[in-house]
Amino acid sequence: MQSLSSKELSKRIRLHALRMTSRGGSSHIASVLSMADLLAVLYGEILNLDPSNPQWADRDRFILSKGHGGAGVYAALAERGFFPVEQLKTHYQDGALLSGHVSHKGIPGVEVSTGSLGHGLSIGAGMAYAGKLDGRKHRVFVLLSDGECDEGSIWEAVLFASHHHLDNLVVVIDYNKIQSLASVSETLELEPFADKWKSFGWAVYEVEGHDHEKIRDHCLKIPFQTGRPSCLIAHTTKGKGVSFMENSVLWHYRTARNEEFEKALKELEGEA
C-alpha cells in the first residue's frame, strides 16, 4: 500500500464503502463519501502507524467520532494492511466483526468503538492529556462530523483541551453542511464556526476538504501553534463523487441498490 497515492486510496475507500453498505443494506454511504479524501490523506500520508504492530506505543491515535461512517475507516485500514481486504465483504453481515458503526472489537487499527455522537473528542482529549503526562510524542487525531458539534459534550472537551495546552490533539471536522434530517443551518446554526473554535483557544485552519494537496499541506503544519490544540475545518460535499447523492439529505440513510448501485459504481469508477 505504501506506493498507493492518496487519490487512488480515496477512490478505493469510496468503492469499498459503496459495495459494503449496499451488500449489507446499511446506511451512511454519503457520510463516508464526504470524508473519503480526508481519510485517504491521513491514512496514506500523515498518520504514523505500523500495520504489523497495531498496538505500537508510539503510534498516532485516530478516532472516528462520527462512527456511523465506519465503513470508510474499515476500508482505509484494510488498504493499509491492518487486515485482509477480503474481510470487507463481511461488513454488516450477521455475526461479523465489521459492524455498521465502527467497532474496535477484534479489528486491528481501530482505537475505540464510536457511534453515539459527541463522545470521540472527550476520549481523544483524555488520550492526548495522558500522552502529555507520560512524556510521549505521538499525536491524537479525532474526526468529527459537523452535526455532532451540536452536542454539549464537544464543547466541554474543547475547553479541556485548550486549558491543558494539548498541542498533540488534532480535530478534523467533516463540514458537509448536512445532518441526518436537514441541513446544519436549519438544525442548529454553527456559524461563525471557525471563530468559535478560536475563541475557545484552538489554532484553526479551514481547507477545501477534497483537495488532497491542501489537506496534506495543512496537516504537515501540525501543531498549528505550539501550546494550542489544532482544528482543521474541512469544507466537504456530502455524497462526494456520486452525482445523485451529492448535497442530498436523502442519502444520509438510504442504501444504494440495483440501478442506483450500478449507476453509483460507474460514477466512482470513472466510467459514467
Side-chain angles (χ1 to χ4, degrees):
M1 211 305 292
Q2 295 301 325
S3 60
L4 203 63
S5 70
S6 63
K7 286 286 188 183
E8 178 60 24
L9 180 55
S10 65
K11 180 178 180 179
R12 294 190 187 189
I13 290 171
R14 286 187 165 94
L15 285 167
H16 283 313
L18 175 67
R19 293 185 176 109
M20 293 159 69
T21 54
S22 297
R23 185 183 297 112
S26 60
S27 302
H28 308 306
I29 181 59
S31 298
V32 177
L33 297 179
S34 76
M35 68 172 182
D37 297 298
L38 300 171
L39 291 176
V41 175
L42 289 173
Y43 275 99
E45 304 184 36
I46 301 299
L47 295 173
N48 194 20
L49 301 169
D50 181 359
S52 69
N53 185 11
Q55 294 301 309
W56 174 39
D58 291 329
R59 70 190 184 282
D60 287 336
R61 275 65 166 172
F62 176 84
I63 297 171
L64 180 68
S65 191
K66 46 173 286 186
H68 54 279
V73 170
Y74 294 147
L77 289 171
E79 288 291 346
R80 278 296 312 262
F82 281 85
F83 55 84
V85 170
E86 190 72 12
Q87 191 175 343
L88 297 177
K89 293 181 179 177
T90 69
H91 178 255
Y92 213 63
Q93 305 297 312
D94 287 346
L97 293 174
L98 300 182
S99 53
H101 289 67
V102 73
S103 171
H104 73 284
K105 187 177 180 182
I107 307 299
V110 177
E111 299 289 343
V112 295
S113 303
T114 55
S116 183
L117 296 175
H119 293 171
L121 183 53
S122 294
I123 297 170
M127 287 179 170
Y129 187 49
K132 285 281 187 183
L133 293 177
D134 292 342
R136 308 198 74 92
K137 301 299 183 185
H138 65 263
R139 304 165 298 177
V140 180
F141 290 75
V142 182
L143 200 159
L144 300 176
S145 70
D146 45 14
E148 74 173 310
C149 291
D150 295 351
E151 306 280 354
S153 56
I154 291 291
W155 299 100
E156 294 172 14
V158 170
L159 279 171
F160 178 90
S162 60
H163 177 80
H164 291 288
H165 308 288
L166 300 181
D167 57 5
N168 57 342
L169 178 64
V170 184
V171 159
V172 179
I173 302 176
D174 179 11
Y175 195 11
N176 59 40
K177 325 293 190 299
I178 292 178
Q179 298 185 218
S180 58
L181 300 175
S183 69
V184 168
S185 60
E186 290 175 295
T187 306
L188 197 58
E189 181 62 81
L190 294 174
E191 294 294 345
F193 202 27
D195 288 343
K196 287 173 181 166
W197 287 85
K198 291 174 184 174
S199 71
F200 275 65
W202 287 56
V204 182
Y205 281 112
E206 296 183 73
V207 69
E208 204 289 301
H210 303 296
D211 187 320
H212 288 221
E213 184 175 349
K214 290 180 179 177
I215 297 168
R216 180 187 311 113
D217 288 347
H218 281 90
C219 286
L220 291 175
K221 297 175 185 175
I222 293 168
F224 297 155
Q225 186 175 339
T226 301
R228 293 179 184 268
S230 302
C231 174
L232 183 63
I233 298 175
H235 294 274
T236 58
T237 299
K238 194 151 186 169
K240 178 69 174 180
V242 177
S243 59
F244 59 90
M245 294 184 186
E246 291 187 358
N247 295 312
S248 170
V249 173
L250 175 68
W251 287 94
H252 185 84
Y253 289 117
R254 189 177 179 88
T255 303
R257 301 249 196 213
N258 304 319
E259 291 183 6
E260 289 177 333
F261 171 77
E262 295 300 331
K263 184 178 180 183
L265 190 64
K266 286 184 178 179
E267 290 194 20
L268 292 177
E269 288 177 334
E271 297 176 358

